[in-house]
Each structure stands twice: as structure tokens, then as C-alpha cells.
Amino acid sequence: MRIKDNSQTKKSQFFEAASIIHKIADKTFEQLEREGLLIFPSHIKDSEDIQKDQFVLQSVNDYFQSGNAMGFLGCGKERLVIESRFSEGHSDYFLQYLLSKVLDFPNVFDMGINADNENNLFNMFVLLFPYYLQTAIRKGPFKTYIRSNYNNGNVKGAIDVARHIKHNIPFAGNIAYTQREYSYDNELMQLVRHTVEYIKKKSYGANLLSRVKEEVGLVVEVTPKYEQLDRRKIISINKRNPLRHAYYREYRALQRLCLLILQNQKHQVGKGARQIYGILFDGAWLWEEYINTLVKDYFHHPMNKSGKGAQRLFGGNKGLIYPDFLGCDKDKRIIADAKYKPTDNIANKDYLQVLAYMFRFDAKTGYYFYPDNKNEEDLRLWLNRGSTYEGNVEQRDDICVIKHGLKIPKDADCYKSFAKKMQEGEKEFMKVLPGI
């Protein structure tokens, strides 16, 4: 079954995916992540746009309301695809374009990713591997205590009597013992190595891994004990011992992704017939990062997920804020907010947020950057002064917020045509912005 983001669908229409709906309806992203669903980006606790207490599908009377999430879900033999609201037919060129721009995905359709939902899901896991690897390796290779077996004359640990009798009778000077060591060559890094070697064998593997050449080289360097025949054992150990330490949450996400990729060899995505599996993309995050690829030369881009560019409303480190985009021209400061929602839904709290940022940075102009498939003209909203109590409300002529849409193409007959039209829309989008 296929539905679109930010839309309402009658509950009666979900009979083809009843098991999936039972698993995900009215459950928060945090709950679904704990149940094995892959959420991208994985830092939902740090995201303003996709909070951990938001829902994929929320009950509203006789309907289910979808949010900003897009992706692929499975449970048993059922499949649910949540497309972008700009998709046409069975081709979601918009999501593909965002992924290619933000995550540097190759042309996924060239690899047959759209052949069926099962392959679609699995190939998406593989394509995400470089991003997850790069994010995790930023903290250095994972290091933990392991227990190693030795058989020599330099005893430094506990003697293994059974192994000693097996290998050292008659006695020739060696003693079998085990030693606890702090090592990079552990089960988790071995799992990552097995995933690297598995992807290398795919037709597009070399091209995909070339994007993270240094990270792959580091993984190979710290796993000298790698043996292909150990793959089943490594998978089993990692399934029994998921990484839980909060500091290594990037490695926890990488561990889960590696297991999903390697288990697919036995068509075992998920854990049993009733286990929900799949991946959901935060459309709001993808849209914001995509807009950043367009305006990065003219706007600072504070990022709450990495703590980059944090700003404060008040002295004494009070009032932490992360405006989406802060204009680089300090004499004519502009505030901009990326909104992955229809223009009519940009209201109330959205206005208050941008106006607060404008007040904080002495900006006279604020923008909402949103995806537009209705060819709407920019809407300028001038701030009022006065109050209804004195009967002197009137529009100011110096402070305004502008809803500025980027045109999303319709009726594209192929991805190449869609991408070309998007690039044309990007040029028009940039022309309107002051100072550009």
C-alpha cells in the first residue's frame, strides 16, 4: 500500500497493511525506533523538526494523518510505502532528488532499486552505509575490552587449563592463557568490516565506498583478524549485544544498519514474521539540508544535531536557539526558516519563532522556504503595530516575513527530466533572495 506524507487517509483503506498499521499507528518515533525501525537521521532526540514524541500515523476520527516522514515499512508479507506528497505514480523523484543532493546518493534507479519494495528497502540500507560510517568514525574507531586467547611462554593472564592440556601436551614451553585487552579489533568493528567486504562485491560497491575511502581504510586497518568465515558468528554476537552507551549512539545506529544489510543475505530483514522493519526519512531534515546546499554561501546554518552555531536569546547562556538560516550580511540581517509543509500550514508558532529570531538579531526580513507544487506567488506578511484596545492597529512598512516557495516540477516523464526542472526552479528560487 502507498500513501503520501502530510495527508489524511481513511482507516478503512488500510486493510492491505493491517498488521503494519497495528504496529505503528499512534506510536511515537522513539517507540518505533526501539522496536527496530531505522529512523534517519538517527538523532531524533536532538531534532526540532522530528521530535521523539511525534507520530508516523496518528488517528484522527475515521482517518490516519501522516506527518513529515517518508520511507518503507514491512511486517510479514505486508509493505507500506510513505511517499512524498510530490510523487507521481510509483515514482518518487522528489525524495530521490533530496537524497542525491543531501547524501550524495548515486542514481538509485540505475541500480534497479525500484524493482520491488523488498529490493527498494535493502538497497536503501546499502546506500545509507557511507553516511552512517562517516558519522560514527568522526569519534574515532570504536574501542572496547575483549578477551583474547594466547599460547606462548609470556603468560599475562588467566591460564586456560583445558586449552593448555589440548595443545601443550607433551609440554614444550608454551602455556595457554586468556587476556583481557582494550582493543579496536572487536566484534563491532568486525561487523563493520564484514559489511564493507559485502558491499565491495556488489556491482556499485567500489563507487559507493569510494566516497568514504579514508573511513573504509581505517576500518580495514584496525581489523587484522578479519575472516570471512566468521561472518555468521559476528552477526550473532552483535545481535545479542547491542551497543547501549549514549556516547556511542552513532555506532549504535551503524551497528543496526550493518545487521540489516548482512542479514538480508538470508532474506531476514527484521526479527521474525511479526517484527516491523524498514526505514523512515525525516522530510523536514532532508528539506532543510537540501536548502542549505543552495544558500550556504549567503547564510550561516546553525545545526542543533551537532551543536554547531548555537545562539542565545539572553545573557548568562539562557535561551538556547538554532535558527535554520542566519544571513551572513550583518548590516542587513535576514532570518530564514526551512519548512517542509504546505504553505497554508505555516502559521501561529511558526510566525512566533521567526519573529523572535528577527527581534534577537535585529532583522527586518524573515523568510519561510517551502516546497511549492502549486506555482504560488510569494506571500508577504507585514507586521502590525498598535492594538485592538486602542483601535490603532495598522501594518508597518519596515518588518515583514515572506513565504518563498521553491517550485517542484509536475509531469516529469523520467528522473533526468525531473532533476533538470528542479535545477531550473532552483535558479528562480535564488533570484528573489536579496543580495544574491
Side-chain angles (χ1 to χ4, degrees):
M1 183 176 178
R2 293 174 179 266
I3 63 173
K4 296 183 184 295
D5 70 52
N6 288 279
S7 64
Q8 284 192 340
T9 307
K10 282 190 174 182
K11 292 181 178 179
S12 59
Q13 296 182 23
F14 285 92
F15 67 92
E16 293 179 315
S19 297
I20 295 178
I21 300 307
H22 177 72
K23 290 282 187 179
I24 68 173
D26 296 317
K27 287 189 177 180
T28 66
F29 282 94
E30 189 175 42
Q31 289 174 310
L32 293 174
E33 193 175 37
R34 287 201 303 265
E35 292 180 15
L37 200 61
L38 201 63
I39 308 291
F40 183 89
S42 60
H43 303 252
I44 59 173
K45 293 182 179 179
D46 300 330
S47 173
E48 291 180 349
D49 293 317
I50 184 169
Q51 299 294 345
K52 62 182 180 181
D53 57 352
Q54 288 184 336
F55 302 94
V56 179
L57 285 178
Q58 188 171 15
S59 297
V60 181
N61 299 323
D62 294 332
Y63 294 84
F64 280 120
Q65 173 69 49
S66 60
N68 286 332
M70 298 174 277
F72 312 88
L73 303 174
C75 185
K77 295 182 178 181
E78 297 177 0
R79 303 291 182 270
L80 176 65
V81 180
I82 305 177
E83 303 171 320
S84 76
R85 60 186 181 276
F86 308 105
S87 65
E88 296 180 344
H90 285 182
S91 299
D92 196 348
Y93 296 143
F94 179 72
L95 175 59
Q96 181 184 349
Y97 189 78
L98 291 187
L99 293 173
S100 69
K101 295 289 284 187
V102 175
L103 302 179
D104 198 22
F105 269 23
N107 191 334
V108 290
F109 286 92
D110 285 348
M111 295 183 290
I113 191 170
N114 205 35
D116 58 68
N117 290 343
E118 191 82 11
N119 286 335
N120 198 337
L121 179 61
F122 171 67
N123 283 298
M124 193 65 74
F125 292 153
V126 175
L127 292 169
L128 283 171
F129 177 76
Y131 177 88
Y132 277 77
L133 176 64
Q134 194 173 49
T135 302
I137 291 292
R138 284 176 188 154
K139 289 188 173 179
F142 178 75
K143 195 174 186 180
T144 190
Y145 283 103
I146 63 170
R147 188 163 291 280
S148 301
N149 296 322
Y150 293 98
N151 187 34
N152 54 48
N154 303 317
V155 181
K156 296 181 181 179
I159 296 175
D160 188 336
V161 176
R163 194 159 52 86
H164 179 73
I165 293 174
K166 181 179 180 180
H167 296 288
N168 298 321
I169 299 298
F171 183 68
N174 291 335
I175 297 177
Y177 65 94
T178 62
Q179 184 177 359
R180 194 165 181 258
E181 299 174 322
Y182 201 46
S183 174
Y184 292 119
D185 197 2
N186 50 67
E187 285 80 7
L188 177 54
M189 293 305 294
Q190 283 285 340
L191 180 73
V192 178
R193 174 70 182 277
H194 279 280
T195 308
V196 166
E197 299 300 328
Y198 174 68
I199 294 175
K200 279 182 180 179
K201 294 181 179 179
K202 292 197 162 289
S203 59
Y204 53 85
N207 178 45
L208 190 65
L209 294 177
S210 67
R211 304 160 192 265
V212 284
K213 186 176 181 180
E214 292 184 6
E215 289 81 358
V216 168
L218 183 59
V219 171
V220 173
E221 180 182 343
V222 301
T223 53
K225 297 178 183 178
Y226 165 78
E227 292 288 344
Q228 184 176 351
L229 295 177
D230 291 340
R231 183 166 296 173
R232 182 179 297 179
K233 181 181 73 173
I234 293 296
I235 291 174
S236 178
I237 293 173
N238 278 274
K239 286 175 66 177
R240 292 197 309 268
N241 301 283
L243 192 60
R244 302 188 186 281
H245 199 290
Y247 178 77
Y248 292 111
R249 58 187 177 184
E250 294 88 355
Y251 272 104
R252 168 61 179 145
L254 179 61
Q255 182 187 45
R256 292 176 60 202
L257 183 66
C258 289
L259 288 172
L260 287 169
I261 292 172
L262 294 176
Q263 286 180 280
N264 190 76
Q265 292 176 291
K266 297 183 178 181
H267 306 288
Q268 292 178 349
V269 182
K271 302 177 183 177
R274 295 188 301 171
Q275 175 68 25
I276 186 173
Y277 61 86
I279 183 168
L280 289 176
F281 294 95
D282 173 7
W285 184 86
L286 281 175
W287 177 251
E288 180 182 326
E289 295 307 308
Y290 162 62
I291 291 295
N292 185 51
T293 65
L294 303 178
V295 304
K296 60 184 178 181
D297 292 335
Y298 308 96
F299 288 87
H300 301 296
H301 181 41
M303 292 183 287
N304 55 344
K305 296 180 181 67
S306 62
K308 178 182 176 182
Q311 307 294 321
R312 304 282 177 174
L313 287 174
F314 311 105
N317 283 334
K318 301 294 184 181
L320 177 65
I321 56 172
Y322 289 93
D324 285 353
F325 299 101
L326 182 62
C328 295
D329 187 346
K330 62 182 180 180
D331 296 323
K332 295 182 180 179
R333 189 77 77 184
I334 296 174
I335 299 295
D337 200 20
K339 290 297 182 187
Y340 182 70
K341 56 168 106 172
T343 180
D344 292 339
N345 293 351
I346 301 175
N348 301 330
K349 290 183 179 179
D350 300 319
Y351 296 150
L352 297 177
Q353 182 185 51
V354 166
L355 287 171
Y357 294 160
M358 291 170 63
F359 184 67
R360 162 65 179 82
F361 294 102
D362 297 319
K364 300 294 185 181
T365 306
Y367 277 90
Y368 295 104
F369 298 147
Y370 70 97
D372 170 31
N373 66 341
K374 297 181 180 179
N375 290 319
E376 298 185 73
E377 296 294 329
D378 283 1
L379 177 62
R380 290 177 176 268
L381 302 171
W382 295 94
L383 186 66
N384 279 338
R385 59 159 57 93
S387 78
T388 56
Y389 292 106
E390 287 80 29
N392 61 350
V393 176
E394 62 178 3
Q395 285 189 355
R396 302 171 61 121
D397 59 4
D398 59 340
I399 298 177
C400 73
V401 293
I402 304 168
K403 294 183 180 181
H404 180 47
L406 193 156
K407 301 298 186 290
I408 309 301
K410 293 182 179 180
D411 304 321
D413 55 2
C414 64
Y415 176 73
K416 185 177 180 180
S417 173
F418 180 88
K420 184 178 179 181
K421 291 180 179 180
M422 278 293 292
Q423 290 163 7
E424 293 171 357
E426 291 167 357
K427 293 178 181 177
E428 292 300 317
F429 174 82
M430 296 296 291
K431 283 181 182 178
V432 178
L433 300 181
I436 296 176

